[in-house]
Amino acid sequence: MLSGMMQKGDFVRINYIGRLESEEIFDLTYEDMAKKENIYNPNVPYKPVPIILGAGFIIKGIDNAVLSMDVGDKKTFEVKPEDGFGQRNPKFVRVVPNKVFKQNNIEPRQGMVVDFSGIKGRIQSVSSGRIMVDFNNPLAGKTLKYELEVVEKIEEPKQKILSILEFYGINKAEIKISEDEAEVETQTLPVELKKRVSQLITEYVKAGDNVIKKVKFTEVFQA
């Protein structure tokens, strides 16, 4: 395959296996491999992931790798922390008073993952009312190994919009495009998600020669 076939702004689907330097798998898109390695999670959809290159859908190291690949290509490579999940920041390790846990009906234990208003952390230690919580991403500071496969390049405008919705976990939608407007008929979505989806559509999706300037959401209610 010729290299450099992909460009920023392209829509592609990728499969991958992410490993630590110890060879432990921390993320993957292959269901058969997950079952074989006894890490299968029935709540995880194992299938190729849709991404927009250069739009922050995935870590920089994978983004850069796909740019030098074509559909059907496979590659194995390392990702340093600066192109992965960043370096560990000591400032993200904080003392959380025990009363905060009591207010949330949590009995703190070392190693427990806790969630404070959407911000996740891992408890490092519990000692006389002082609980040390590490809010760094668990993969921060680590060199990662990836096996990557480019499965598909998405070209059709409606499929591009559906792939954006799929990335955010929305798998049922009807798309209508007329000139510079896209209508998305789907379930009720949070306002912030509508804004994000609209921004991606207007920035990255074209309908023929027309740039989509307006996104209309129609909500569907089912009994």
Side-chain angles (χ1 to χ4, degrees):
M1 293 282 184
L2 294 172
S3 63
M5 298 297 291
M6 299 293 176
Q7 302 177 38
K8 289 186 177 180
D10 282 347
F11 287 64
V12 298
R13 290 183 189 275
I14 60 171
N15 271 322
Y16 60 83
I17 301 172
R19 302 177 190 267
L20 303 175
E21 288 185 286
S22 64
E23 298 298 330
E24 177 188 350
I25 295 173
F26 63 85
D27 194 12
L28 78 170
T29 59
Y30 299 97
E31 183 173 336
D32 55 348
M33 174 70 78
K35 289 179 176 178
K36 180 181 175 183
E37 297 290 330
N38 294 318
I39 54 175
Y40 176 75
N41 182 344
N43 298 317
V44 171
Y46 294 96
K47 59 183 179 179
V49 176
I51 61 170
I52 306 174
L53 293 176
F57 275 44
I58 204 154
I59 59 171
K60 186 178 176 182
I62 294 180
D63 239 5
N64 290 341
V66 177
L67 286 170
S68 66
M69 299 171 71
D70 199 356
V71 175
D73 284 354
K74 296 181 179 180
K75 179 184 283 191
T76 301
F77 56 98
E78 283 193 350
V79 175
K80 298 296 184 185
E82 55 268 28
D83 289 330
F85 294 88
Q87 299 289 354
R88 281 181 52 77
N89 188 339
K91 292 180 180 179
F92 292 163
V93 180
R94 299 174 184 168
V95 175
V96 179
N98 195 27
K99 65 180 181 181
V100 174
F101 291 90
K102 287 183 178 179
Q103 289 168 359
N104 289 278
N105 296 315
I106 298 172
E107 182 64 36
R109 299 188 308 275
Q110 186 174 346
M112 177 188 284
V113 175
V114 291
D115 190 327
F116 296 106
S117 302
I119 302 173
K120 291 185 177 180
R122 185 179 295 274
I123 297 175
Q124 282 192 330
S125 63
V126 179
S127 176
S128 62
R130 289 169 55 86
I131 293 94
M132 297 291 293
V133 182
D134 185 355
F135 290 99
N136 282 286
N137 187 299
L139 297 173
K142 297 184 184 297
T143 295
L144 310 172
K145 297 179 179 179
Y146 278 95
E147 295 172 41
L148 178 66
E149 175 188 12
V150 179
V151 177
E152 177 190 8
K153 186 175 180 182
I154 303 167
E155 304 279 10
E156 207 272 319
K158 288 184 181 180
Q159 293 302 317
K160 287 183 175 182
I161 295 173
L162 287 170
S163 74
I164 293 172
L165 293 167
E166 181 187 334
F167 182 84
Y168 289 103
I170 303 148
N171 295 305
K172 290 186 178 180
E174 293 290 333
I175 309 298
K176 298 175 185 176
I177 298 176
S178 57
E179 296 184 355
D180 63 352
E181 178 178 307
E183 182 177 348
V184 180
E185 184 179 291
T186 188
Q187 67 204 59
T188 303
L189 302 178
V191 172
E192 288 304 313
L193 182 53
K194 287 180 183 177
K195 288 181 180 178
R196 177 60 176 155
V197 169
S198 299
Q199 177 209 339
L200 291 167
I201 291 172
T202 55
E203 186 170 352
Y204 292 104
V205 181
K206 288 182 68 177
D209 295 328
N210 294 325
V211 175
I212 294 177
K213 298 178 181 178
K214 182 179 178 182
V215 180
K216 177 182 177 183
F217 288 90
T218 304
E219 297 177 349
V220 177
F221 298 90
Q222 292 182 332

Short mmCIF file of all heavy atoms in Angstrom, two decimals, residues 129-183:
data_model
loop_
_atom_site.label_atom_id
_atom_site.label_comp_id
_atom_site.label_asym_id
_atom_site.label_seq_id
_atom_site.Cartn_x
_atom_site.Cartn_y
_atom_site.Cartn_z
N GLY A 129 -8.60 9.14 58.55
CA GLY A 129 -9.41 10.24 58.03
C GLY A 129 -8.79 10.97 56.86
O GLY A 129 -9.41 11.85 56.27
N ARG A 130 -7.54 10.61 56.49
CA ARG A 130 -6.87 11.24 55.33
C ARG A 130 -6.82 10.22 54.19
O ARG A 130 -6.13 9.20 54.31
CB ARG A 130 -5.46 11.70 55.69
CG ARG A 130 -5.43 12.89 56.63
CD ARG A 130 -4.02 13.11 57.15
NE ARG A 130 -3.05 13.25 56.07
CZ ARG A 130 -2.77 14.40 55.45
NH1 ARG A 130 -3.42 15.51 55.78
NH2 ARG A 130 -1.87 14.45 54.49
N ILE A 131 -7.54 10.50 53.13
CA ILE A 131 -7.57 9.57 52.00
C ILE A 131 -6.86 10.22 50.82
O ILE A 131 -7.25 11.29 50.36
CB ILE A 131 -9.03 9.20 51.62
CG1 ILE A 131 -9.68 8.38 52.75
CG2 ILE A 131 -9.06 8.38 50.35
CD1 ILE A 131 -10.46 9.18 53.73
N MET A 132 -5.78 9.57 50.36
CA MET A 132 -5.03 10.07 49.21
C MET A 132 -5.65 9.50 47.94
O MET A 132 -5.76 8.28 47.78
CB MET A 132 -3.56 9.64 49.29
CG MET A 132 -2.81 10.19 50.49
SD MET A 132 -2.55 11.98 50.38
CE MET A 132 -1.41 12.07 49.00
N VAL A 133 -6.06 10.39 47.03
CA VAL A 133 -6.70 9.96 45.79
C VAL A 133 -5.88 10.47 44.60
O VAL A 133 -5.52 11.66 44.53
CB VAL A 133 -8.15 10.49 45.69
CG1 VAL A 133 -8.80 9.98 44.40
CG2 VAL A 133 -8.96 10.06 46.90
N ASP A 134 -5.57 9.57 43.67
CA ASP A 134 -4.81 9.91 42.47
C ASP A 134 -5.79 10.13 41.32
O ASP A 134 -6.45 9.21 40.87
CB ASP A 134 -3.84 8.77 42.14
CG ASP A 134 -2.92 9.10 40.96
OD1 ASP A 134 -3.10 10.18 40.36
OD2 ASP A 134 -2.03 8.29 40.67
N PHE A 135 -5.87 11.39 40.85
CA PHE A 135 -6.79 11.74 39.77
C PHE A 135 -6.11 11.71 38.39
O PHE A 135 -6.71 12.12 37.40
CB PHE A 135 -7.40 13.12 40.02
CG PHE A 135 -8.37 13.14 41.18
CD1 PHE A 135 -7.98 13.59 42.43
CD2 PHE A 135 -9.67 12.68 41.03
CE1 PHE A 135 -8.86 13.60 43.50
CE2 PHE A 135 -10.57 12.68 42.09
CZ PHE A 135 -10.16 13.14 43.34
N ASN A 136 -4.87 11.25 38.33
CA ASN A 136 -4.21 11.08 37.03
C ASN A 136 -4.91 9.96 36.25
O ASN A 136 -5.44 9.01 36.83
CB ASN A 136 -2.74 10.70 37.22
CG ASN A 136 -1.86 11.87 37.58
OD1 ASN A 136 -1.55 12.70 36.72
ND2 ASN A 136 -1.46 11.96 38.84
N ASN A 137 -4.89 10.07 34.92
CA ASN A 137 -5.34 8.95 34.10
C ASN A 137 -4.45 7.74 34.43
O ASN A 137 -3.23 7.88 34.53
CB ASN A 137 -5.21 9.31 32.62
CG ASN A 137 -5.81 8.26 31.69
OD1 ASN A 137 -5.38 7.11 31.68
ND2 ASN A 137 -6.78 8.65 30.90
N PRO A 138 -5.02 6.55 34.62
CA PRO A 138 -4.21 5.37 34.96
C PRO A 138 -3.11 5.07 33.94
O PRO A 138 -2.12 4.42 34.28
CB PRO A 138 -5.24 4.22 34.98
CG PRO A 138 -6.54 4.88 35.22
CD PRO A 138 -6.46 6.23 34.57
N LEU A 139 -3.26 5.56 32.70
CA LEU A 139 -2.26 5.31 31.66
C LEU A 139 -1.27 6.46 31.51
O LEU A 139 -0.38 6.40 30.66
CB LEU A 139 -2.95 5.04 30.32
CG LEU A 139 -3.85 3.78 30.29
CD1 LEU A 139 -4.62 3.72 28.99
CD2 LEU A 139 -3.03 2.53 30.52
N ALA A 140 -1.43 7.51 32.33
CA ALA A 140 -0.50 8.64 32.26
C ALA A 140 0.91 8.17 32.62
O ALA A 140 1.10 7.38 33.55
CB ALA A 140 -0.94 9.75 33.21
N GLY A 141 1.90 8.66 31.88
CA GLY A 141 3.29 8.33 32.16
C GLY A 141 3.75 7.00 31.63
O GLY A 141 4.90 6.62 31.81
N LYS A 142 2.87 6.28 30.95
CA LYS A 142 3.22 4.93 30.47
C LYS A 142 3.48 4.93 28.96
O LYS A 142 2.80 5.61 28.20
CB LYS A 142 2.10 3.94 30.80
CG LYS A 142 1.87 3.76 32.30
CD LYS A 142 0.81 2.70 32.56
CE LYS A 142 0.49 2.59 34.05
NZ LYS A 142 1.64 2.15 34.85
N THR A 143 4.49 4.13 28.55
CA THR A 143 4.70 3.85 27.14
C THR A 143 3.79 2.70 26.76
O THR A 143 3.73 1.68 27.44
CB THR A 143 6.17 3.48 26.87
OG1 THR A 143 7.00 4.61 27.17
CG2 THR A 143 6.39 3.07 25.41
N LEU A 144 3.04 2.87 25.67
CA LEU A 144 2.01 1.91 25.28
C LEU A 144 2.39 1.24 23.96
O LEU A 144 3.09 1.82 23.13
CB LEU A 144 0.67 2.62 25.13
CG LEU A 144 0.25 3.50 26.31
CD1 LEU A 144 -0.99 4.30 25.96
CD2 LEU A 144 0.02 2.65 27.56
N LYS A 145 1.92 0.02 23.78
CA LYS A 145 2.13 -0.72 22.54
C LYS A 145 0.78 -0.94 21.86
O LYS A 145 -0.16 -1.37 22.51
CB LYS A 145 2.78 -2.08 22.83
CG LYS A 145 4.16 -2.01 23.46
CD LYS A 145 4.68 -3.42 23.72
CE LYS A 145 6.07 -3.40 24.33
NZ LYS A 145 6.56 -4.78 24.59
N TYR A 146 0.72 -0.65 20.58
CA TYR A 146 -0.53 -0.82 19.84
C TYR A 146 -0.35 -1.70 18.61
O TYR A 146 0.67 -1.63 17.92
CB TYR A 146 -1.07 0.54 19.37
CG TYR A 146 -1.84 1.30 20.43
CD1 TYR A 146 -1.22 2.25 21.22
CD2 TYR A 146 -3.20 1.05 20.63
CE1 TYR A 146 -1.92 2.95 22.20
CE2 TYR A 146 -3.91 1.74 21.60
CZ TYR A 146 -3.27 2.68 22.38
OH TYR A 146 -3.97 3.37 23.34
N GLU A 147 -1.35 -2.54 18.38
CA GLU A 147 -1.53 -3.22 17.10
C GLU A 147 -2.74 -2.56 16.46
O GLU A 147 -3.83 -2.55 17.05
CB GLU A 147 -1.78 -4.71 17.30
CG GLU A 147 -0.62 -5.47 17.91
CD GLU A 147 -1.01 -6.91 18.25
OE1 GLU A 147 -1.72 -7.54 17.44
OE2 GLU A 147 -0.62 -7.37 19.33
N LEU A 148 -2.55 -1.99 15.28
CA LEU A 148 -3.57 -1.14 14.66
C LEU A 148 -3.91 -1.64 13.27
O LEU A 148 -3.04 -2.05 12.51
CB LEU A 148 -3.05 0.30 14.60
CG LEU A 148 -3.92 1.37 13.95
CD1 LEU A 148 -5.19 1.59 14.76
CD2 LEU A 148 -3.14 2.67 13.83
N GLU A 149 -5.18 -1.59 12.93
CA GLU A 149 -5.65 -1.96 11.59
C GLU A 149 -6.65 -0.90 11.11
O GLU A 149 -7.57 -0.54 11.83
CB GLU A 149 -6.34 -3.32 11.63
CG GLU A 149 -6.96 -3.75 10.31
CD GLU A 149 -7.79 -5.02 10.43
OE1 GLU A 149 -8.09 -5.46 11.57
OE2 GLU A 149 -8.16 -5.57 9.37
N VAL A 150 -6.44 -0.39 9.90
CA VAL A 150 -7.40 0.53 9.29
C VAL A 150 -8.40 -0.31 8.50
O VAL A 150 -8.05 -0.96 7.52
CB VAL A 150 -6.70 1.55 8.37
CG1 VAL A 150 -7.74 2.48 7.73
CG2 VAL A 150 -5.69 2.37 9.15
N VAL A 151 -9.65 -0.32 8.95
CA VAL A 151 -10.67 -1.20 8.40
C VAL A 151 -11.41 -0.57 7.23
O VAL A 151 -11.71 -1.22 6.24
CB VAL A 151 -11.68 -1.59 9.51
CG1 VAL A 151 -12.80 -2.47 8.95
CG2 VAL A 151 -10.98 -2.29 10.66
N GLU A 152 -11.70 0.72 7.33
CA GLU A 152 -12.58 1.36 6.35
C GLU A 152 -12.36 2.86 6.34
O GLU A 152 -12.05 3.46 7.37
CB GLU A 152 -14.04 1.05 6.72
CG GLU A 152 -15.09 1.71 5.83
CD GLU A 152 -16.51 1.57 6.38
OE1 GLU A 152 -16.68 1.10 7.53
OE2 GLU A 152 -17.45 1.95 5.66
N LYS A 153 -12.52 3.46 5.17
CA LYS A 153 -12.58 4.92 5.05
C LYS A 153 -14.01 5.29 4.71
O LYS A 153 -14.60 4.74 3.77
CB LYS A 153 -11.62 5.41 3.97
CG LYS A 153 -11.51 6.94 3.90
CD LYS A 153 -10.44 7.35 2.90
CE LYS A 153 -10.32 8.86 2.82
NZ LYS A 153 -9.32 9.28 1.82
N ILE A 154 -14.58 6.18 5.49
CA ILE A 154 -15.99 6.56 5.31
C ILE A 154 -16.06 7.79 4.42
O ILE A 154 -15.47 8.83 4.73
CB ILE A 154 -16.65 6.85 6.67
CG1 ILE A 154 -16.53 5.62 7.59
CG2 ILE A 154 -18.12 7.23 6.50
CD1 ILE A 154 -16.86 5.89 9.04
N GLU A 155 -16.79 7.68 3.30
CA GLU A 155 -16.82 8.77 2.31
C GLU A 155 -18.17 9.46 2.22
O GLU A 155 -18.25 10.66 1.98
CB GLU A 155 -16.46 8.20 0.92
CG GLU A 155 -15.12 7.48 0.85
CD GLU A 155 -13.93 8.42 0.72
OE1 GLU A 155 -14.13 9.64 0.87
OE2 GLU A 155 -12.82 7.92 0.46
N GLU A 156 -19.27 8.70 2.40
CA GLU A 156 -20.61 9.22 2.15
C GLU A 156 -21.05 10.13 3.30
O GLU A 156 -20.89 9.79 4.47
CB GLU A 156 -21.57 8.04 2.00
CG GLU A 156 -22.78 8.33 1.14
CD GLU A 156 -23.91 8.91 1.98
OE1 GLU A 156 -24.12 8.44 3.10
OE2 GLU A 156 -24.56 9.86 1.50
N PRO A 157 -21.57 11.34 2.99
CA PRO A 157 -21.89 12.32 4.05
C PRO A 157 -22.81 11.81 5.15
O PRO A 157 -22.55 12.03 6.33
CB PRO A 157 -22.56 13.47 3.27
CG PRO A 157 -21.99 13.37 1.90
CD PRO A 157 -21.79 11.91 1.65
N LYS A 158 -23.87 11.08 4.79
CA LYS A 158 -24.78 10.56 5.82
C LYS A 158 -24.07 9.57 6.73
O LYS A 158 -24.27 9.57 7.95
CB LYS A 158 -26.00 9.89 5.17
CG LYS A 158 -26.98 10.86 4.52
CD LYS A 158 -28.19 10.12 3.99
CE LYS A 158 -29.17 11.09 3.32
NZ LYS A 158 -30.37 10.39 2.79
N GLN A 159 -23.21 8.73 6.14
CA GLN A 159 -22.47 7.75 6.93
C GLN A 159 -21.46 8.44 7.85
O GLN A 159 -21.19 7.98 8.96
CB GLN A 159 -21.75 6.75 6.02
CG GLN A 159 -22.69 5.84 5.25
CD GLN A 159 -23.59 5.02 6.16
OE1 GLN A 159 -23.15 4.48 7.18
NE2 GLN A 159 -24.87 4.93 5.81
N LYS A 160 -20.92 9.57 7.42
CA LYS A 160 -20.01 10.33 8.27
C LYS A 160 -20.75 10.84 9.51
O LYS A 160 -20.25 10.75 10.64
CB LYS A 160 -19.41 11.51 7.49
CG LYS A 160 -18.37 11.10 6.46
CD LYS A 160 -17.77 12.31 5.78
CE LYS A 160 -16.66 11.92 4.82
NZ LYS A 160 -16.01 13.09 4.18
N ILE A 161 -21.96 11.37 9.29
CA ILE A 161 -22.75 11.88 10.43
C ILE A 161 -23.13 10.73 11.36
O ILE A 161 -23.02 10.85 12.59
CB ILE A 161 -24.00 12.63 9.92
CG1 ILE A 161 -23.58 13.89 9.16
CG2 ILE A 161 -24.92 12.99 11.10
CD1 ILE A 161 -24.72 14.62 8.48
N LEU A 162 -23.54 9.59 10.80
CA LEU A 162 -23.87 8.43 11.62
C LEU A 162 -22.66 7.95 12.42
O LEU A 162 -22.79 7.52 13.57
CB LEU A 162 -24.40 7.30 10.74
CG LEU A 162 -25.81 7.49 10.19
CD1 LEU A 162 -26.13 6.42 9.14
CD2 LEU A 162 -26.86 7.46 11.30
N SER A 163 -21.47 8.05 11.83
CA SER A 163 -20.27 7.61 12.54
C SER A 163 -19.93 8.54 13.71
O SER A 163 -19.44 8.08 14.75
CB SER A 163 -19.07 7.51 11.59
OG SER A 163 -18.57 8.78 11.22
N ILE A 164 -20.21 9.83 13.57
CA ILE A 164 -20.02 10.77 14.68
C ILE A 164 -20.96 10.40 15.83
O ILE A 164 -20.55 10.31 17.00
CB ILE A 164 -20.27 12.23 14.23
CG1 ILE A 164 -19.21 12.68 13.23
CG2 ILE A 164 -20.29 13.17 15.45
CD1 ILE A 164 -19.51 14.03 12.59
N LEU A 165 -22.22 10.15 15.50
CA LEU A 165 -23.19 9.76 16.52
C LEU A 165 -22.79 8.44 17.17
O LEU A 165 -22.87 8.28 18.39
CB LEU A 165 -24.58 9.64 15.89
CG LEU A 165 -25.20 10.94 15.38
CD1 LEU A 165 -26.41 10.64 14.50
CD2 LEU A 165 -25.61 11.85 16.55
N GLU A 166 -22.32 7.48 16.36
CA GLU A 166 -21.90 6.18 16.88
C GLU A 166 -20.76 6.33 17.87
O GLU A 166 -20.72 5.65 18.90
CB GLU A 166 -21.47 5.28 15.72
CG GLU A 166 -21.04 3.89 16.14
CD GLU A 166 -20.47 3.09 14.97
OE1 GLU A 166 -20.84 3.37 13.81
OE2 GLU A 166 -19.66 2.19 15.23
N PHE A 167 -19.82 7.23 17.58
CA PHE A 167 -18.68 7.45 18.48
C PHE A 167 -19.16 7.85 19.87
O PHE A 167 -18.57 7.49 20.88
CB PHE A 167 -17.76 8.53 17.91
CG PHE A 167 -16.54 8.79 18.76
CD1 PHE A 167 -15.41 7.99 18.65
CD2 PHE A 167 -16.52 9.83 19.70
CE1 PHE A 167 -14.29 8.22 19.43
CE2 PHE A 167 -15.42 10.05 20.49
CZ PHE A 167 -14.29 9.25 20.37
N TYR A 168 -20.26 8.60 19.92
CA TYR A 168 -20.81 9.05 21.19
C TYR A 168 -21.91 8.11 21.72
O TYR A 168 -22.68 8.49 22.61
CB TYR A 168 -21.34 10.48 21.06
CG TYR A 168 -20.22 11.49 20.93
CD1 TYR A 168 -19.90 12.05 19.69
CD2 TYR A 168 -19.46 11.86 22.04
CE1 TYR A 168 -18.86 12.96 19.57
CE2 TYR A 168 -18.42 12.77 21.91
CZ TYR A 168 -18.12 13.31 20.68
OH TYR A 168 -17.08 14.20 20.55
N GLY A 169 -21.97 6.90 21.16
CA GLY A 169 -22.86 5.89 21.70
C GLY A 169 -24.30 5.95 21.21
O GLY A 169 -25.18 5.33 21.79
N ILE A 170 -24.54 6.70 20.12
CA ILE A 170 -25.89 6.82 19.58
C ILE A 170 -25.95 6.00 18.29
O ILE A 170 -25.35 6.37 17.27
CB ILE A 170 -26.24 8.30 19.28
CG1 ILE A 170 -26.10 9.13 20.56
CG2 ILE A 170 -27.65 8.42 18.73
CD1 ILE A 170 -25.67 10.53 20.32
N ASN A 171 -26.63 4.87 18.34
CA ASN A 171 -26.59 3.92 17.24
C ASN A 171 -27.85 3.88 16.38
O ASN A 171 -27.90 3.16 15.39
CB ASN A 171 -26.30 2.51 17.79
CG ASN A 171 -24.92 2.43 18.42
OD1 ASN A 171 -23.92 2.74 17.78
ND2 ASN A 171 -24.86 2.03 19.68
N LYS A 172 -28.86 4.66 16.77
CA LYS A 172 -30.08 4.72 15.97
C LYS A 172 -30.39 6.16 15.61
O LYS A 172 -30.61 6.99 16.49
CB LYS A 172 -31.25 4.11 16.74
CG LYS A 172 -31.16 2.59 16.90
CD LYS A 172 -32.41 2.03 17.55
CE LYS A 172 -32.34 0.52 17.66
NZ LYS A 172 -33.55 -0.07 18.29
N ALA A 173 -30.38 6.44 14.31
CA ALA A 173 -30.68 7.81 13.85
C ALA A 173 -31.01 7.78 12.37
O ALA A 173 -30.56 6.92 11.63
CB ALA A 173 -29.49 8.73 14.11
N GLU A 174 -31.84 8.74 11.97
CA GLU A 174 -32.13 8.96 10.56
C GLU A 174 -31.52 10.30 10.16
O GLU A 174 -31.68 11.29 10.88
CB GLU A 174 -33.65 8.98 10.31
CG GLU A 174 -34.34 7.65 10.55
CD GLU A 174 -34.01 6.61 9.50
OE1 GLU A 174 -33.68 7.01 8.35
OE2 GLU A 174 -34.06 5.41 9.82
N ILE A 175 -30.84 10.31 9.03
CA ILE A 175 -30.15 11.53 8.59
C ILE A 175 -30.74 12.00 7.26
O ILE A 175 -30.88 11.21 6.32
CB ILE A 175 -28.63 11.28 8.40
CG1 ILE A 175 -28.03 10.62 9.65
CG2 ILE A 175 -27.92 12.59 8.07
CD1 ILE A 175 -28.11 11.43 10.91
N LYS A 176 -31.07 13.29 7.20
CA LYS A 176 -31.52 13.90 5.95
C LYS A 176 -30.62 15.10 5.68
O LYS A 176 -30.39 15.93 6.56
CB LYS A 176 -32.98 14.34 6.05
CG LYS A 176 -33.97 13.19 6.29
CD LYS A 176 -35.38 13.71 6.51
CE LYS A 176 -36.33 12.58 6.86
NZ LYS A 176 -37.70 13.09 7.18
N ILE A 177 -30.15 15.20 4.44
CA ILE A 177 -29.29 16.32 4.07
C ILE A 177 -29.91 17.04 2.88
O ILE A 177 -30.26 16.41 1.88
CB ILE A 177 -27.86 15.85 3.71
CG1 ILE A 177 -27.20 15.19 4.92
CG2 ILE A 177 -27.03 17.03 3.22
CD1 ILE A 177 -25.83 14.60 4.63
N SER A 178 -30.09 18.33 3.00
CA SER A 178 -30.58 19.15 1.89
C SER A 178 -29.74 20.41 1.79
O SER A 178 -29.69 21.21 2.72
CB SER A 178 -32.06 19.50 2.10
OG SER A 178 -32.24 20.18 3.32
N GLU A 179 -29.02 20.53 0.69
CA GLU A 179 -28.12 21.66 0.44
C GLU A 179 -27.15 21.82 1.61
O GLU A 179 -26.30 20.99 1.82
CB GLU A 179 -28.92 22.93 0.14
CG GLU A 179 -29.73 22.81 -1.14
CD GLU A 179 -30.45 24.10 -1.49
OE1 GLU A 179 -30.41 25.06 -0.70
OE2 GLU A 179 -31.06 24.13 -2.58
N ASP A 180 -27.31 22.90 2.40
CA ASP A 180 -26.32 23.15 3.47
C ASP A 180 -26.88 22.84 4.86
O ASP A 180 -26.38 23.34 5.86
CB ASP A 180 -25.84 24.61 3.41
CG ASP A 180 -26.96 25.62 3.66
OD1 ASP A 180 -28.13 25.19 3.71
OD2 ASP A 180 -26.67 26.81 3.80
N GLU A 181 -27.94 22.00 4.93
CA GLU A 181 -28.54 21.66 6.22
C GLU A 181 -28.61 20.15 6.40
O GLU A 181 -28.91 19.41 5.48
CB GLU A 181 -29.96 22.25 6.33
CG GLU A 181 -30.66 21.89 7.64
CD GLU A 181 -32.05 22.51 7.76
OE1 GLU A 181 -32.14 23.74 7.59
OE2 GLU A 181 -33.03 21.77 8.01
N ALA A 182 -28.30 19.70 7.63
CA ALA A 182 -28.43 18.30 7.99
C ALA A 182 -29.46 18.18 9.10
O ALA A 182 -29.43 18.94 10.08
CB ALA A 182 -27.10 17.74 8.47
N GLU A 183 -30.41 17.24 8.93
CA GLU A 183 -31.39 16.97 9.97
C GLU A 183 -31.09 15.61 10.59
O GLU A 183 -30.96 14.61 9.88
CB GLU A 183 -32.80 16.98 9.40
CG GLU A 183 -33.88 16.74 10.47
CD GLU A 183 -35.30 16.81 9.93
OE1 GLU A 183 -35.47 17.26 8.77
OE2 GLU A 183 -36.22 16.40 10.65
#
